[in-house]
Amino acid sequence: MALAESTGDFFEKAADELPVKTMATSSSKGVQVNGVNGVRGGLDDEKERPSEKENRLVNGERSGTATLTQRKQQKSSALKAKDNDYPPLYDDDEREDRRLDRIQAYRAAGIRFAPWNIPYRRRMQTVAVIIHCLSIASTVSFFFFLCAIPIFWPLIIPYLLHMSLSKNATDGRLRMRSERWRRLPVWKLFGEYFPAKLHKTHDLPPTRKYIFGYHPHGIISHGAFAAFATEALGFSEKFPGITNSLLTLDSNFRIPLYRDYILAFGLQSVSKESITNILTKGGPNNEGMGRAVTIVVGGARESLEAQPGVMNLVLADRKGFVKMAIRTGADLVPVLAFGENDLYDQLSPKTHPWLHKAQMWVLRTLKFTLPFLHGRGIFNYDVGLMPYRRRLNIVVGRPIMVAQKREGEIENEEVNRLHSEYVGELEKMWERYKDVFAAGRRGEMNILK
């Protein structure tokens, strides 16, 4: 990018002409300078006196190592800026009002309670998050309430038969997807709660098909829901002509009423059949062009690694999505969500190893995990199961073009090459934006098995 190149040239030039701090004292005889390299200040244009030259040499030897290190660091940063083709992004969040809320919070037993004078829109944002977080519990409870009333039995029995036989989650037709539902104002409030923002770095032509890889999983992947299951963050405006479907476990489509709730968002099963159908149907030529799917690649295993200030991605051995991209001819698009791991606190596997082993056993046996988490409450900032109000910055990276091949023609070398390129793009995104969106991080990004 032109901006990145100009910035890199500026720093490289600045490193070669690094100015040195000077301390000048004026007198009637002129200006005397004592500095690291004997650089003279003020308006004195006289030649260096021998004593000043000696001081410059002595002091230069003392600071030469530090100056050389600074130059190397600045040149290294300039080279990284040149090599990285991602544009600059900025975090324009204003959190002063939240800080004041916490200062004014009423404390009792070590818990900070929200003040009464919270703005009305902030309260509506909390309601929107409650609606989504309780969606499974509320829909299942309502279904069993209907089951307790005999007059509804003639409707419930056909519904259960339809649910068991339906292919809406795997046939790729997206018949139950509702754009009006995805654009409801309540989801805009949901995105403003954190708040969340979707960042576009490269154009995605609608004449191609795509597989978005979302990282990290976090605890519940609220960022993926806001960005790709709704229009809260303006996906269709940033990437016009692309119909994106967020994928989830097939078991979610076996929950009465909840399945209809998520189907209205356009969610589909993460099975191979579902991905193949979505990316080979629809579009202008009914070949899947202009369609995309979003896969949270790390899955339940990665959710156990979710800790605030940490970016651990379970990706080293996850290559199934790359094979699906080759089978369907879909380009790979890395997505890095800064702040996803900060939305909840959970017990660390380092401090509770026996609990982590139990969680891994449940994951291997039942194919889902039970994270021991806590967040904030509805009326307090410290105790509850709601996510914290912490900034989410979801960055969509550069697309990696993939050539379509049949099942028998896929070679491991090609899969490994694309996987390495994909990981490399994630690392570029991390290096480019970590100081902007993850300034308070506790470590660097790690790729785990």
Side-chain angles (χ1 to χ4, degrees):
M1 303 294 291
L3 181 59
E5 291 178 1
S6 61
T7 305
D9 294 340
F10 171 79
F11 281 114
E12 189 171 2
K13 183 178 180 181
D16 294 334
E17 301 176 0
L18 188 65
V20 187
K21 293 184 179 179
T22 63
M23 182 176 66
T25 56
S26 61
S27 64
S28 58
K29 295 182 179 180
V31 180
Q32 182 178 359
V33 180
N34 295 321
V36 175
N37 287 324
V39 179
R40 307 186 64 183
L43 300 175
D44 186 14
D45 293 327
E46 298 179 2
K47 295 181 180 180
E48 291 187 26
R49 288 187 288 263
S51 60
E52 291 178 348
K53 187 174 183 180
E54 292 174 0
N55 290 337
R56 179 180 64 82
L57 292 175
V58 172
N59 292 333
E61 291 176 357
R62 294 175 181 174
S63 61
T65 304
T67 305
L68 182 60
T69 302
Q70 290 177 349
R71 289 182 179 180
K72 287 183 178 180
Q73 290 177 350
Q74 292 185 359
K75 286 184 178 181
S76 177
S77 300
L79 289 175
K80 286 182 178 180
K82 279 186 174 182
D83 295 338
N84 201 324
D85 60 348
Y86 283 93
L89 299 175
Y90 305 98
D91 188 358
D92 54 1
D93 181 32
E94 296 292 340
R95 282 170 277 193
E96 182 64 18
D97 55 342
R98 299 183 191 179
R99 188 182 68 84
L100 293 176
D101 287 345
R102 283 162 174 73
I103 293 176
Q104 300 170 3
Y106 169 73
R107 287 180 176 270
I111 300 175
R112 298 170 300 168
F113 289 88
W116 289 104
N117 58 344
I118 296 293
Y120 175 76
R121 190 166 185 85
R122 292 269 300 279
R123 294 189 184 278
M124 290 297 98
Q125 293 166 4
T126 303
V127 171
V129 174
I130 293 173
I131 290 173
H132 179 62
C133 291
L134 295 179
S135 56
I136 294 181
S138 58
T139 52
V140 172
S141 299
F142 183 66
F143 175 77
F144 283 111
F145 170 76
L146 295 179
C147 290
I149 304 176
I151 194 174
F152 290 108
W153 290 356
L155 299 177
I156 292 174
I157 294 175
Y159 173 78
L160 292 176
L161 291 174
H162 164 74
M163 185 180 69
S164 60
L165 300 175
S166 174
K167 297 293 184 181
N168 287 332
T170 58
D171 61 9
R173 297 181 181 179
L174 307 179
R175 289 181 300 236
M176 297 188 66
R177 179 188 176 108
S178 172
E179 292 300 324
R180 180 177 296 180
W181 178 258
R182 289 166 54 91
R183 297 175 185 271
L184 287 177
V186 65
W187 310 129
K188 185 72 173 179
L189 293 170
F190 179 90
E192 293 174 355
Y193 171 87
F194 303 100
K197 186 175 181 179
L198 182 65
H199 299 272
K200 172 184 176 180
T201 62
H202 294 77
D203 291 328
L204 300 181
T207 55
R208 301 286 297 174
K209 56 184 87 169
Y210 304 95
I211 292 181
F212 288 69
Y214 185 88
H215 311 272
H217 184 285
I219 301 294
I220 307 181
S221 300
H222 286 304
F225 173 79
F228 305 115
T230 75
E231 286 297 329
L233 308 187
F235 179 88
S236 62
E237 296 176 2
K238 298 178 184 295
F239 304 101
I242 296 177
T243 302
N244 197 339
S245 299
L246 180 62
L247 305 185
T248 185
L249 295 176
D250 189 66
S251 58
N252 288 324
F253 299 96
R254 298 291 179 261
I255 303 176
L257 298 184
Y258 179 70
R259 66 180 297 276
D260 304 285
Y261 170 79
I262 59 178
L263 282 171
F265 290 108
L267 267 71
Q268 296 285 284
S269 170
V270 75
S271 65
K272 293 181 180 180
E273 176 189 3
S274 173
I275 298 173
T276 302
N277 288 332
I278 294 172
L279 296 178
T280 56
K281 297 179 180 179
N285 297 327
N286 200 32
E287 295 178 352
M289 297 303 177
R291 283 203 171 182
V293 296
T294 299
I295 304 175
V296 185
V297 180
R301 169 69 179 85
E302 193 173 85
S303 67
L304 299 179
E305 300 289 338
Q307 297 286 339
V310 175
M311 184 72 78
N312 292 333
L313 307 183
V314 180
L315 183 59
D317 294 334
R318 301 288 174 108
K319 300 179 181 180
F321 71 104
V322 178
K323 295 179 181 178
M324 287 302 305
I326 298 175
R327 290 191 189 103
T328 58
D331 296 343
L332 292 168
V333 182
V335 180
L336 200 56
F338 293 88
E340 184 70 63
N341 284 342
D342 300 337
L343 303 183
Y344 292 96
D345 291 314
Q346 72 167 322
L347 298 179
S348 173
K350 294 182 179 180
T351 57
H352 300 80
W354 60 271
L355 183 59
H356 183 68
K357 291 180 181 179
Q359 291 175 317
M360 292 299 296
W361 180 85
V362 172
L363 177 62
R364 289 191 299 268
T365 306
L366 303 178
K367 304 305 180 183
F368 69 89
T369 185
L370 297 172
F372 290 87
L373 61 94
H374 77 85
R376 58 163 291 171
I378 300 175
F379 301 110
N380 73 83
Y381 298 121
D382 301 306
V383 180
L385 296 179
M386 288 188 61
Y388 293 116
R389 282 181 177 265
R390 293 174 179 170
R391 184 73 173 173
L392 267 174
N393 286 283
I394 303 160
V395 183
V396 179
R398 180 182 68 85
I400 301 172
M401 185 167 291
V402 178
Q404 185 173 6
K405 293 183 180 180
R406 297 179 181 179
E407 182 69 30
E409 299 175 353
I410 300 177
E411 299 178 354
N412 290 333
E413 291 77 7
E414 179 71 6
V415 174
N416 293 334
R417 183 189 66 80
L418 289 172
H419 185 268
S420 298
E421 187 175 354
Y422 181 88
V423 173
E425 287 299 321
L426 285 173
E427 292 174 344
K428 282 185 180 180
M429 295 164 66
W430 170 257
E431 292 295 331
R432 187 69 172 91
Y433 304 120
K434 65 180 181 180
D435 292 331
V436 180
F437 301 137
R441 62 189 180 279
R442 293 189 290 139
E444 297 300 314
M445 184 176 73
N446 298 312
I447 305 298
L448 309 178
K449 292 184 178 181

